[in-house]
Amino acid sequence: MIIEEAKRVIRVEAEALLNLEASINGAFEQAVQMILNSETGRVVVTGMGKSGLIGQKIASTMASTGTPAFFLHPAEGIHGDLGMIMKGDVVIAISNSGETDEVVKILPIIKRLGASLIAMAGNPASTLAKSGDIFLDISVKEEACPLGLAPTASTTVTLAMGDAIAVALLVSRGFKAEDFAMFHPGGALGRRLLLRVQDIMHSGEALPLVNEKTLMREALFTITSKGLGITGVTSDDGALIGVITDGDLRRALGKGLDILNLPAAELMKAGAKRINREELAARALQQMEQYSITSLFVFDDDKAKAPVGIVHLHDLLKAGIA
């Protein structure tokens, strides 16, 4: 019985969402355009009770996808917080009945302040619906609650309508993943989309490089002192022509070679994996995984021959990329 009841709830809410899809019309497009063309670009979302909770999520979604938005509690609004609304704002007022007392009380003030009003209600004949510059119908045939009392299907539909508006605004503005990351700098997503190779690379004196003619006794010191287990080998004009890793040293010693008196060119592995400084740090991690390596030399661009830095797997780990 419990499983069947759960399935019934999902069916009721799924049907409500399909009906909402069918009801999307020109009014929805007008609402999106109203926000895009508003004087301030700001959206103020308000609603009471469950509608208010959904409204908070809608405002949060908009704010993180390029539309400045915040939630205004209607009860707090009638006690002073209506001062948050500016002329030119767009207010989205939510009420399933369209007659919620706290919401209805602030409608005249919203108009007087010079803000536009998008009414989201389940009753087209309600006070809220009639007061809006644009009316968005969020009515449902039935609630998933068997008593028909607890907001269930109606709140799901309201949330979906809010998401639809937020995403339509996102697409209209050409909002990109990098823009999204800009509003989430503290999270893993933000780090992966914002942090670039140049932000974490070792450069200047920290960059391990030796000339191809340098004896390995000196090259060994460079590998050890820089602490990255690798050095790049350059030609006389500064071009990177190869690399020597601590693994190369161990293999050479295992063969009984007198490596200390060899020039770096004889022990190096020709060529080196590279990455541009402007690339995302996440891209560096992808290359390291692809080639099973722990370091990449960094260049200003694809044509550059001389490296300007090096990025190590440990740097990516410290930055929270890996």
Side-chain angles (χ1 to χ4, degrees), residues 303-314:
K303 296 181 180 179
K305 295 182 179 180
V308 294
I310 185 172
V311 61
H312 193 277
L313 179 60
H314 290 165

Side-chain angles (χ1 to χ4, degrees), residues 93-314:
I94 307 170
S95 169
N96 187 41
S97 68
E99 300 294 347
T100 304
D101 187 55
E102 293 86 350
V103 174
V104 170
K105 282 183 178 179
I106 66 173
L107 297 181
I109 311 301
I110 291 172
K111 292 290 188 177
R112 196 174 303 167
L113 290 170
S116 301
L117 177 63
I118 297 173
M120 290 175 58
N123 180 4
S126 64
T127 302
L128 174 58
K130 291 179 179 179
S131 299
D133 297 299
I134 297 172
F135 167 60
L136 297 180
D137 190 351
I138 52 171
S139 60
V140 296
K141 292 181 179 179
E142 61 176 320
E143 295 285 7
C145 168
L147 301 176
L149 298 174
T152 44
S154 59
T155 49
T156 299
V157 163
T158 305
L159 179 60
M161 180 68 84
D163 284 344
I165 295 173
V167 172
L169 290 167
L170 177 157
V171 172
S172 298
R173 289 193 168 105
F175 197 77
K176 299 181 177 62
E178 291 81 359
D179 302 315
F180 186 85
M182 193 70 69
F183 300 122
H184 299 75
L189 176 62
R191 289 192 294 272
R192 291 185 67 85
L193 293 177
L194 288 177
L195 201 64
R196 299 190 181 277
V197 170
Q198 63 187 6
D199 298 325
I200 58 173
M201 72 181 186
H202 302 267
S203 59
E205 292 298 321
L207 179 57
L209 291 175
V210 297
N211 183 271
E212 60 184 322
K213 300 170 186 174
T214 301
L215 293 181
M216 281 306 302
R217 64 175 71 251
E218 296 179 37
L220 181 59
F221 174 77
T222 297
I223 294 174
T224 304
S225 64
K226 304 301 182 182
L228 297 175
I230 190 173
T231 185
V233 181
T234 62
S235 58
D236 290 336
D237 62 358
L240 185 68
I241 59 175
V243 296
I244 301 173
T245 67
D246 51 9
D248 295 326
L249 296 176
R250 288 193 296 271
R251 285 186 287 273
L253 289 171
K255 294 178 182 178
L257 298 178
D258 180 19
I259 65 171
L260 295 181
N261 295 312
L262 292 175
E266 290 194 26
L267 208 62
M268 75 176 190
K269 188 180 301 178
K273 300 302 179 185
R274 56 187 287 157
I275 192 167
N276 290 0
R277 66 186 303 154
E278 291 289 340
E279 287 278 5
L280 293 174
R283 174 60 181 154
L285 177 62
Q286 290 175 352
Q287 286 191 228
M288 290 180 190
E289 292 175 339
Q290 179 181 354
Y291 298 112
S292 299
I293 56 178
T294 58
S295 296
L296 285 170
F297 279 92
V298 184
F299 294 79
D300 281 332
D301 54 55
D302 293 336
K303 296 181 180 179
K305 295 182 179 180
V308 294
I310 185 172
V311 61
H312 193 277
L313 179 60
H314 290 165

Side-chain angles (χ1 to χ4, degrees), residues 62-82:
M62 287 184 176
S64 67
T65 53
T67 299
F70 62 91
F71 178 77
L72 170 65
H73 196 292
E76 298 295 337
I78 59 179
H79 290 284
D81 283 4
L82 282 172

